[in-house]
Amino acid sequence: MPHKSNKQRVLFGQNIRETLSDEVARLGRSRALILSTPAQSSSALDVAALLNGQSAGVFSRAAMHTPIEVTKEALDHVTEVRADCLVAIGGGSTTGLGKAIALRTDLPQIVVPTTYAGSEATPILGQTEDGIKTTLTDPKVLPEVVLYDPELVATLPVAMTVTSALNAIAHAAEALYAEDRTEDSTALAIEGIETFTNSLPRVLDTPGDLAARADTQRGAWACGAVLGQVGMALHHKLCHTLCGAFDLPHAETHAIILPHAVHYNAAAVPDQLAPIVDILGGDAPGPALWQFAKAMQAPLALRALGLSEKDLDRAADLATQNPYWNPREITRAGILTLLQSAWRGEAPQ
Ligand code: NAD
């Protein structure tokens, strides 16, 4: 079965961003609206400078969780400047805005990722309206072109590098036991985890090591692509609930929950999670991921993100309200224990 990601043109390489102008022309377009967050507006201007007159301007108001109000503003801007394609430079938030515009206009998208979140490799879009985040899957939102340039992730602060990498690894970890997994998806998930576990320590050692950064981007692509291929379960649902209900930061929450969610499910599907132990060592996948996260200086405790202990009961209620598929039965007591352990920052036991 072909990878769904084969529908994308994916290019890796130092300075690959300099081919942007060719990529816009290749799409048969000539007026690219460049998207970014406010914090990355200078990167958006750098991109505009690479576009040789094919820039229709910059819209730098992308925000976490793709608020619908921002999408509406951006759509007005698209019409006003007569943009005929989109260039998103940034992490999952900026990519999300590009996808939200593409969903409504069918404009082609070129994504230049600057984190490891992996959204660029999926046909999935999460959007927020009136404080409620919903997720859809539509081939229209899969970006047409992705340019992975290691210089652009080399500016990621080390703390974000680590949490973003663990966010990516979480896609691959859950893909290992996905209900609709295939041999191909499992191989891709293993490739993603392996690539990150080999390259992340090198990046921590030398954050500007472009060869190591390039490897992390290959890991990000594999983890993102597998997220686009198979369904997610407990880990992603828990993070979705925690981020939505308690306004916790996306990548940090993923980094903290991952070892605990994997540990919970390892009781039911130890064989499917065995590749994590093969790659990281140790006796069990949850503790192995926790040790790896600790060694990478990742945040380990939900309480450090500002979640109060009394919120855990409500979080457990919310996380068990709507049934969904998971390899192990989800019980409120089990989820509460998991959350308490993640709140304290203990290794899963
Ligand atoms: P982000 O895009 O929100 O970026 C976080 C902050 O870091 C922003 O201020 C951004 O400008 C800044 N930043 C990004 N790259 C930087 C760099 N290289 N140097 C300095 N600063 C940089 O964070 P994210 O974790 O990439 O994305 C999170 C969002 O993506 C969430 O809304 C999540 O739901 C979504 N997401 C979607 C999918 C999908 O398939 N739809 C997959 C993964 C994540």
Side-chain angles (χ1 to χ4, degrees), residues 37 39-40 64-65 91-94 99 114-115 117-119 122 124-126 133 152-153 155-157 160 164 167 171 227 250-251:
T37 60
Q40 288 180 288
M64 188 76 98
H65 306 313
S93 297
T94 305
K99 288 175 160 183
T114 66
T115 71
S119 176
T122 82
I124 305 166
L125 168 63
K133 185 165 175 177
L152 297 175
V153 277
T155 60
L156 254 187
M160 271 183 73
S164 191
N167 176 197
H171 310 327
L227 168 68
H250 176 85

Side-chain angles (χ1 to χ4, degrees), residues 67-102:
I68 207 107
E69 311 80 65
V70 176
T71 301
K72 285 180 183 157
E73 270 183 60
L75 284 166
D76 288 345
H77 200 76
V78 163
T79 310
E80 200 177 304
V81 300
R82 291 176 290 108
D84 62 9
C85 65
L86 306 163
V87 174
I89 173 149
S93 297
T94 305
T95 304
L97 175 61
K99 288 175 160 183
I101 298 171

Side-chain angles (χ1 to χ4, degrees), residues 193-248:
I193 299 170
E194 220 162 22
T195 308
F196 264 120
T197 52
N198 289 332
S199 53
L200 196 58
R202 287 157 53 215
V203 166
L204 250 65
D205 209 33
T206 314
D209 178 343
L210 291 180
R213 288 282 186 180
D215 287 348
T216 54
Q217 287 185 307
R218 289 195 178 267
W221 175 80
C223 293
V226 84
L227 168 68
Q229 288 181 13
V230 297
M232 297 286 112
L234 175 65
H235 169 81
H236 281 74
K237 298 284 179 187
L238 267 182
C239 293
H240 187 96
T241 302
L242 289 168
C243 292
F246 303 99
D247 203 23
L248 299 188

